[in-house]
Amino acid sequence: AQKVTQAQTEISVVEKEDVTLDCVYETRDTTYYLFWYKQPPSGELVFLIRRNSFDEQNEISGRYSWNFQKSTSSFNFTITASQVVDSAVYFCARSYIPTFGRGTSLIVHP
Amino acid sequence: DAGVIQSPRHEVTEMGQEVTLRCKPISGHDYLFWYRQTMMRGLELLIYFNNNVPIDDSGMPEDRFSAKMPNASFSTLKIQPSEPRDSAVYFCASSRDRGATEAFFGQGTRLTVV
């Protein structure tokens, strides 16, 4: 099976620290898509970002940024100046049928 | 659109009983996915449909599980008979295509089998 690996099970930081969530994927497809989702304590899964395999430009959206490196099959997610509201489980996924990693639980302490 | 709607939000049932989970996808989305989330196994894909047709049910754990999509706006996941190990959160998701666009998830059904 083509896996998505999130090696970090849980990360604990103090508010205002920067934190990077790692994601490594396997795929045999030449064209594919990668996603990050957030699952807050309320339980719903919220889509954050989608990247296609042709576009390796890093992306920044407010405090969030994503680093996609095809050479290492990685799609890492950085939160700058973390806040308590960022506490959630974050999932990396790849296409084509959405396949998810095990998730990284981020705990941000005040 | 109201998003993907799942019902019920919570279900507690006794072992051996039949359980039916329901999902209304976003209008215009051709793909519907059923996932199960547990601490042990994470988010597992159970089955997905394209234009109401089941395409891949290899993730369905056993014959006790079945899923249908009688029309573009409704799908069910049935467990008969239910067992305690079926306790999990079941998510339904829909998307416009097979994976080039994001999947939108319902709020999930938390199933507890006692």
Side-chain angles (χ1 to χ4, degrees), chain B residues 20-33:
Chain B
T20 299
L21 311 182
R22 297 171 178 80
C23 175
K24 178 179 175 6
I26 293 173
S27 176
H29 282 192
D30 292 335
Y31 284 82
L32 184 140
F33 310 91

Side-chain angles (χ1 to χ4, degrees), chain B residues 51-67:
Chain B
N51 292 324
N52 314 337
V53 176
I55 303 300
D56 184 352
D57 66 354
S58 59
M60 297 284 259
E62 42 195 282
D63 291 346
R64 299 183 296 105
F65 286 69
S66 63

Side-chain angles (χ1 to χ4, degrees), chain A residues 29 32-35 37 39 42-47 49-50 89 91 94-102, chain B residues 9 31 33 35 37-43 45 48 91 96 98-107:
Chain A
D29 299 319
Y32 52 90
Y33 294 81
L34 300 167
F35 308 86
Y37 286 81
Q39 187 175 41
S42 51
E44 73 272 24
L45 277 152
V46 179
F47 163 75
I49 190 172
R50 176 187 78 239
V89 180
F91 291 92
R94 63 145 182 81
S95 66
Y96 269 86
I97 301 305
T99 301
F100 289 81
R102 293 299 303 271
Chain B
R9 292 291 310 279
Y31 284 82
F33 310 91
Y35 287 88
Q37 185 177 30
T38 61
M39 289 294 293
M40 290 290 292
R41 301 173 70 90
L43 266 166
L45 178 67
Y48 79 94
F91 286 100
R96 285 199 300 270
R98 194 164 65 101
T101 58
E102 62 274 20
F104 291 84
F105 282 76
Q107 292 193 293

Side-chain angles (χ1 to χ4, degrees), chain A residues 51-110:
Chain A
R51 298 304 300 277
N52 71 57
S53 54
F54 289 106
D55 184 3
E56 288 194 68
Q57 280 194 357
N58 292 336
E59 182 160 341
I60 298 174
S61 176
R63 296 185 297 108
Y64 295 170
S65 62
W66 290 269
N67 182 286
F68 173 34
Q69 293 196 349
K70 209 168 177 178
S71 60
T72 56
S73 297
S74 66
F75 185 40
N76 297 335
F77 174 28
T78 297
I79 301 175
T80 302
S82 60
Q83 299 176 1
V84 172
V85 293
D86 295 327
S87 297
V89 180
Y90 292 85
F91 291 92
C92 180
R94 63 145 182 81
S95 66
Y96 269 86
I97 301 305
T99 301
F100 289 81
R102 293 299 303 271
T104 297
S105 176
L106 173 64
I107 302 169
V108 182
H109 299 280

